[in-house]
Amino acid sequence: MKTKAIIVSFFFCLFMGVSLLCGATTHLSGDQPGDSVLWKQQLDTIKKNTAELHLGYVLTDYKYIGKISTEEDLERVKLAILDGTGYPFVENGKTILISLKEFSSIDKEEAENMRKKVKTYLDQMLRLRLGLEEVVLEWTCDGTIYKTVCVASDTLGILYENVFINALGLVQQRLLCVIQNSNTN
């Protein structure tokens, strides 16, 4: 439980840090979010910078779907995330994006653990109901286009999206390697 709190706190701080750097505001007008909405600024920053991270995939576009306002919306979005593509996996030295179902054929136990963790996290985030928005993201990975569902909040920014959240783990691993290499030199 303590680990989960640390992870959630880390992601919250990361998103808030990005938002402060972007100078985000959260005022909306009409049905479409304004350019100053926090999650939109975060996605624009990710879109601009994913190529520089050399993760093997790039955020190429996103489309605002709308507010998540009913229990049915919440369940539909949760299932779209749990059953959708967007989990980075390195196969033969090449990064691909797969679903948990596809990952299950590789490592059934780990796939089930990931599914439980994602479901728990989503349940916690979706209970907050902080002006939730649904956004579909388009990622390009080795010439293939993947679409994923993103849950965002008008006030907190990006709350969950498969590729981005899992990319943070890859970035952390790469940063640790760089730090370890620099310490040995």
Side-chain angles (χ1 to χ4, degrees):
M1 190 62 144
K2 189 175 187 179
T3 303
K4 286 181 186 178
I6 291 170
I7 291 170
V8 170
S9 297
F10 169 76
F11 287 124
F12 178 76
C13 290
L14 178 69
F15 293 137
M16 292 309 290
V18 169
S19 67
L20 290 174
L21 288 174
C22 294
T25 60
T26 58
H27 301 290
L28 296 177
S29 60
D31 291 340
Q32 292 293 320
D35 287 339
S36 63
V37 174
L38 176 58
W39 60 261
K40 193 168 184 183
Q41 290 182 353
Q42 289 172 330
L43 288 175
D44 287 339
T45 300
I46 293 166
K47 187 175 173 183
K48 180 179 168 189
N49 295 316
T50 50
E52 295 172 14
L53 295 174
H54 305 290
L55 297 170
Y57 43 87
V58 177
L59 178 62
T60 52
D61 201 9
Y62 61 89
K63 180 182 177 187
Y64 175 75
I65 301 301
K67 293 196 180 295
I68 301 171
S69 55
T70 67
E71 290 296 323
E72 291 80 23
D73 289 344
L74 288 170
E75 283 304 309
R76 179 185 48 75
V77 168
K78 187 165 63 171
L79 287 174
I81 290 172
L82 287 169
D83 294 338
T85 300
Y87 297 89
F89 182 73
V90 178
E91 181 177 65
N92 300 324
K94 189 177 183 181
T95 302
I96 59 173
L97 301 178
I98 62 175
S99 67
L100 285 176
K101 184 177 182 180
E102 292 167 312
F103 186 65
S104 183
S105 67
I106 299 165
D107 187 339
K108 188 173 185 170
E109 185 177 332
E110 182 61 24
E112 189 56 36
N113 287 338
M114 286 174 63
R115 186 175 187 81
K116 286 178 185 174
K117 288 176 187 175
V118 171
K119 185 179 180 323
T120 300
Y121 181 79
L122 288 173
D123 286 342
Q124 291 171 348
M125 288 295 107
L126 296 177
R127 271 191 221 119
L128 297 175
R129 302 215 184 156
L130 301 167
L132 298 180
E133 307 284 344
E134 179 181 5
V135 183
V136 172
L137 279 57
E138 183 178 283
W139 299 88
T140 301
C141 180
D142 195 34
T144 303
I145 295 173
Y146 299 90
K147 294 192 179 207
T148 61
V149 174
C150 175
V151 176
S153 164
D154 294 344
T155 55
L156 296 177
I158 299 168
L159 294 177
Y160 191 87
E161 192 282 327
N162 290 338
V163 177
F164 179 67
I165 296 296
N166 290 298
L168 290 175
L170 291 175
V171 170
Q172 288 173 337
Q173 289 173 356
R174 289 182 184 187
L175 286 174
L176 287 174
C177 288
V178 168
I179 291 169
Q180 289 172 348
N181 289 337
S182 68
N183 286 339
T184 58
N185 291 335

